[in-house]
Amino acid sequence: MNEELVYINGSYYPRSEARISVFDAGLMVGDTMTESTRTFRHVPFRLRDHIVRLYKSIKVARYPSTPSLEEMERITLEVVARNAPLYGPEDDFWIVHNVTRGSFQAANDPSRNRSEATVIVFTMPLDLTYWARFYEEGCHAVTPFSRAIPAEALDPKIKNRSRLGYTLCDLEVKLVDPAAQCILLDTHGNLAENKGGNVFVVADGTVLTPTTRNALAGISRDTVLGLCRELGIPSGERDLQPYDVYTADEAFFTSTPYCIMPATRFNGLPVGSGSVGPITRRLLDAWSARVGVDIAAQGLAQLRAATPA
Amino acid sequence: MNEELVYINGSYYPRSEARISVFDAGLMVGDTMTESTRTFRHVPFRLRDHIVRLYKSIKVARYPSTPSLEEMERITLEVVARNAPLYGPEDDFWIVHNVTRGSFQAANDPSRNRSEATVIVFTMPLDLTYWARFYEEGCHAVTPFSRAIPAEALDPKIKNRSRLGYTLCDLEVKLVDPAAQCILLDTHGNLAENKGGNVFVVADGTVLTPTTRNALAGISRDTVLGLCRELGIPSGERDLQPYDVYTADEAFFTSTPYCIMPATRFNGLPVGSGSVGPITRRLLDAWSARVGVDIAAQGLAQLRAATPA
Amino acid sequence: MNEELVYINGSYYPRSEARISVFDAGLMVGDTMTESTRTFRHVPFRLRDHIVRLYKSIKVARYPSTPSLEEMERITLEVVARNAPLYGPEDDFWIVHNVTRGSFQAANDPSRNRSEATVIVFTMPLDLTYWARFYEEGCHAVTPFSRAIPAEALDPKIKNRSRLGYTLCDLEVKLVDPAAQCILLDTHGNLAENKGGNVFVVADGTVLTPTTRNALAGISRDTVLGLCRELGIPSGERDLQPYDVYTADEAFFTSTPYCIMPATRFNGLPVGSGSVGPITRRLLDAWSARVGVDIAAQGLAQLRAATPA
Amino acid sequence: MNEELVYINGSYYPRSEARISVFDAGLMVGDTMTESTRTFRHVPFRLRDHIVRLYKSIKVARYPSTPSLEEMERITLEVVARNAPLYGPEDDFWIVHNVTRGSFQAANDPSRNRSEATVIVFTMPLDLTYWARFYEEGCHAVTPFSRAIPAEALDPKIKNRSRLGYTLCDLEVKLVDPAAQCILLDTHGNLAENKGGNVFVVADGTVLTPTTRNALAGISRDTVLGLCRELGIPSGERDLQPYDVYTADEAFFTSTPYCIMPATRFNGLPVGSGSVGPITRRLLDAWSARVGVDIAAQGLAQLRAATPA
Amino acid sequence: MNEELVYINGSYYPRSEARISVFDAGLMVGDTMTESTRTFRHVPFRLRDHIVRLYKSIKVARYPSTPSLEEMERITLEVVARNAPLYGPEDDFWIVHNVTRGSFQAANDPSRNRSEATVIVFTMPLDLTYWARFYEEGCHAVTPFSRAIPAEALDPKIKNRSRLGYTLCDLEVKLVDPAAQCILLDTHGNLAENKGGNVFVVADGTVLTPTTRNALAGISRDTVLGLCRELGIPSGERDLQPYDVYTADEAFFTSTPYCIMPATRFNGLPVGSGSVGPITRRLLDAWSARVGVDIAAQGLAQLRAATPA
Amino acid sequence: MNEELVYINGSYYPRSEARISVFDAGLMVGDTMTESTRTFRHVPFRLRDHIVRLYKSIKVARYPSTPSLEEMERITLEVVARNAPLYGPEDDFWIVHNVTRGSFQAANDPSRNRSEATVIVFTMPLDLTYWARFYEEGCHAVTPFSRAIPAEALDPKIKNRSRLGYTLCDLEVKLVDPAAQCILLDTHGNLAENKGGNVFVVADGTVLTPTTRNALAGISRDTVLGLCRELGIPSGERDLQPYDVYTADEAFFTSTPYCIMPATRFNGLPVGSGSVGPITRRLLDAWSARVGVDIAAQGLAQLRAATPA
């Protein structure tokens, strides 16, 4: 396979040569707005929604100068068009946007320091091998002892790359289980979100997820809530505590790459029966039907292919 | 002036060619530990202390693989040796360490994904022109409405580059005054820190600064507390509120580049007499005496040189 | 009347001889999960729901070894069968489950110290004389100054016997009125719950109760919400503050023994008219109708019988 | 060895027959005040201080009726006198006080329900085998994700037996390491205490421990602070965060049975050198010298005796 | 124009002579309950609702002695009858109630110090010139750094005159823009309210406003929610964060004098298109239709009249 | 006795005729800065310190226009000079400053609405009869369930008249005991202050008081800390919880009128011995000695004179 091309500020670079200055604000102060979109059979899923959210982040972060939303969409489709032929027909790929504030100069007044934003758009193979077995077994959700950054300090609805807090939480849960997936709590002890996704529980037939007070307004989350409405499954947003996961019938995460990832253990205890539950399966099936891809099967196929015989 | 060389993972690059992969964790998830040291007459100030703190950050962030502390010090001194001749004898320079977790792969288990850290060490001219006039006039300290990230979410004592929250706070205070310097409050309303420094007040002859519960344990902060002890000025660490700045006799920031920056206004009101106070001056003089450089004079000389006649 | 029999770990003891070791974890560290069910005309009310909740508590508390839920139900019914003949046909009784972690050994690793749980099941006469007058007069609800334990420290949805905090709150409100019934606030000042029940207000025809974020998910609470749905009375769960009780038209508590207890004063002020309100009465009547027992009348009859002529 | 005698409300029972009613408030609502004292060569250590603190707890808990402090001391000494001959001359023992509010009657007004308190005093062999290896290796301190109960809900300075929250925290850290010892954080993310002891760090030669805002005012903690004063080791009480443990030179717990237990790992990372530090050793030596018992040696001797050859 | 008459405790005074003792509790301790009602074409709008809320405030504030609600309504209508002829037919007026606890004596036991309340009722011209341009341009909403007083300290649902906190917040936002209108955050960073009104956002066709947990239950707010129901516009109450205003399509304030005030900037950024949005207009039109007054036109007419040609 | 004169904005009025407009900001929005000074034998005590603090409050409240500090002092001394002859030689008096923002106009931009401040200065007899018996018996300190306003909402160090929250807390504690004196807790459950004074405990010979994080920096508080230093009594400022009062040896309040008021009960339990303690007496004696007035004796003489034979 040839290398994908990476778009950086108007030019295309082979992946292995895609670099930015070490003086870029993205590196110097984690000042990067971001989106990750996936494809289904090479068709981007809700790409417009991702780009709209990117521009919400860019607005709230007060970036002085970026391409227009329409121009960004055009760039994105061109990156997709150039790279798509590199991926197999059964495989899908990520489309990643990283937009930084541009060059960084510590001593200067940031309000006047209006460099052009750095725009990076690239694709990557959607490698599901890490998550694939969770479609069948479910994963182990674990709570770190550090808390999610509260919105009054940095709103998680701003999808950004200053993610150290999340990374440290993720490393904390790996102390419990190297394969653990984290569920951060907010500073009041309510469920917040996963380091890269949202969390849901199913109890007595109702699908529940935390509000967006301390969580990203995830597009996969929104897709699941929409599927619930279509399927007639009661659903809602409200404050949840760890007790609600321990005593749930089912639990799952949502995120762009895996869509829905069942969680069958929580802090060492089984969730419900300890195996993937029927409503989780139903939602994943409905999502697969909508996009014309058996989502779990695709991941499991990758896993089998990656496993030495 | 020729270009400085930037050390990246064992190689040296001219500044304009110093780049890292867009797939580095520093860019992808703001996963960078950092230090900034300055020189006085080309002599690094408390370099060892900065490197020791860097390794505290690296430890707490659980970086899997970095050079030893001694090796890092050796690299640093070599960068200094190579670049120092480029700076004028009256000028000083920053020495910056940015160490990232290395390459980033979203789909992989981070606990097993033990790439080598990315080590970047560079120098930059210590440009004080932005701050220099504050040595004489004092600056305008302003409180943003967003709060500092609490230590239970991400401890500010970990000196890192996931700084978006601080940048947004700094942009908030620029709404009040384009030259404003921010004083973040913690989530309980106590003074925390500046986006890149610590804050002090002087009241009734006593120098006070917030504890490190929600602030970096700044080396400049430590230098000032040490100078207080030497000069017999009573000093202490305790919770402070905006009222304490409004009613203080003097206030100042501390940070590596400017050492001590007087603040003579706070949220639109004068601090004390509204001009730089005697204890602030005494501390700055004592610091200048220790390092053999008139710190304020150096900045003001830069400013004059930069100002068109 | 003969003594009831108390089930303890497979044996039956007369009430006055029912004892456990002073080294049991229930006494040594308050490590007891519990349920209290009442009967109506000797028929247990929602016994299965109570046992299901008991097993949720046991699960979350990670008890290493307990009988199965079905076995617990069988034991319970046998205790009921043995003791029911001791109670008069007009009287009802409590069915209490106390399940402790078993023997306690301070110096041992609790994760390896897997003794059998201690299972205690007993019945007691349902003595309503303390509460009976409140059916007619309403009680005086009072707010203690201590706060409810937040779920991030110990979730009140785990129905347990580490109740010292609640007892102290109850003693605090007795300083105001020896007959006061407490309404704890959570650590943010919202209404949480009573020491042994839930709290409701009625305002403009709508029945409101706090969410379960900081309150037991009471079965009596659930019964009232169900009755509201059946009777077409609008109802909801949301954050409430003391102001909402002061200005409510009606207020009441729910708990297993008394079902619904009207509150006609709150912190010394009348609630609504100061007498028991129509929606409260309607809910109590509907409950009585469902179970075939005039709940208030039963309590008042006990009170009359207990009052010296 | 014969059985120890347990004092219960004026009578003595062999340990295996020491029982209390299942209707006691100690079991029914975790309403028990407690102290644990240890001996050194059969001499109780700071027994008077423990009994004084017990009576502080009893006062704050508003127990209506207990023996006088002097009577409690007399009872205690008699229990010691009766049981001491059962322990070997090299062995020591616990002296445990459990005082409950007495009989519990759910339906009665607690302010009028003034039964006699239940007073239980017993001794137990001081079995240090669980902790002994930590004197040499240090233990692994781990932070649970649940938080300590805040003082506004139930002050940890009241030494009581409603300990479920602590037990659950301890089980959480066992998910990381079956031998882990917990360090609870308070609801703001500061270090609080261990489930049965206090925590200290040593940094730059100074011994620091959290204030008693959210921690028991431990008598062992007080002993260590006193030893610091005697030995001229700087010490202090202040808010500490996990960062302070990660970056400390040494860390240790204090509690009655083991006195000082070094912690050489914290959440999977080494503390300082990863082995027991010099100030920890010096404090333990000073304590041993004061009481005439080599504290660590006693524990290690027990461990060797308990280990099959 | 002659002077309006001010009712004070049974007497009428010309406005310029309306005074109260400097020893009144209203001045001495800010102990005043208040309502402000406006007229439309001289007809008071929801006067009864305002008076009912006044008596809720008076009740919660435990005022010992006030006229009955009916008497207060009668007084109010008489004040209106006396003063209405002074206002032009196109003009409207405020009706203000200020009821204080009466005379203040610092040294006396407040529970026994039962003076008569001081009742003040007056009217004032409804001068909309300050706000009128916002009907066309929208205003600039800005967040102060101080926080709203939490309900656990003083519930904002008690409509009172201890308003210093709000005034200081309003002065803070004037540092950003002399015409800024404040949106206070609660102590957790959620939107609370304006210093004298409520705040709404419109997103994806849904009208949202914070709950009353930390905000006045505004009658204008209630009017807007009622208009939404009538017009079939989805609406709801929930926690909102600054992000929700930045990314909203529309935003507006509600308050008695101006009814609905569009906000087209928030902290320096445009809200939606940066001009007054269609749902805001629709709600204002519906309100105008209900009361038979073109609300915006009335204000703009005043503004034109007040502007020198 | 003739009437005292009240200074209002340059004029003197007899007390019974001292009035301000009902449109003054002091009444309309509780916008009043205040100080209360007392005399000892007609000599004002620390008057300059009170006026300095008044001007701190005025500064932080951003009053646009007030007399100079020196002018205020001159006015004050003239008020004293005029009124002092009205008080008996054994009696003392209050000197009260109330400074409001001036006239209030709701519809106007407050930043431009720069009316002159309203300055009110008066004296009142220092009537100690309410407190006098507490010098001998001690008072009953009680904790309300509402919390002190946190500094992030309105800093209590700003001495102001928006005091409704305090008044409501005081009424809450009167539910427990009509003579109760309140100790407010802050929103984290630490002791804050009394509605008009500070609170101290004495434990093991050390005098402790909360920090000023959530309390007025009282001048009487400062006097007591100064007396401690002079008398060699160890003292300090730190977070205290109700437990610390329950278990203290002594407790007392400080405030301008009574100076030191012993508290011998706390929430229904005795503090220490339940009678006034030796350190409290020693401090009161030292204060009396400093000012040449037996403070307690003066109050008790008033009480005897006021009590019918």
Side-chain angles (χ1 to χ4, degrees), chain C residues 218-268:
Chain C
I219 289 172
S220 301
R221 174 185 183 272
D222 180 69
T223 300
V224 163
L225 292 172
L227 289 171
C228 286
R229 281 189 295 273
E230 289 172 24
L231 297 171
I233 301 170
S235 66
E237 303 175 52
R238 64 165 218 216
D239 284 345
L240 295 168
Q241 292 79 45
Y243 178 93
D244 296 307
V245 189
Y246 285 124
T247 63
D249 300 312
E250 308 178 32
F252 58 86
F253 294 98
T254 58
S255 187
T256 286
Y258 51 71
C259 303
I260 290 174
M261 173 168 61
T264 50
R265 279 195 298 156
F266 180 55
N267 292 323

Side-chain angles (χ1 to χ4, degrees), chain D residues 6 29 39 77 91-92 111-112 119 147 167 169 217 240 260 277:
Chain D
V6 173
V29 283
T39 60
L77 294 175
D91 290 326
D92 277 300
S111 71
R112 321 193 90 200
V119 177
R147 295 298 194 239
T167 299
C169 283
L240 295 168
I260 290 173

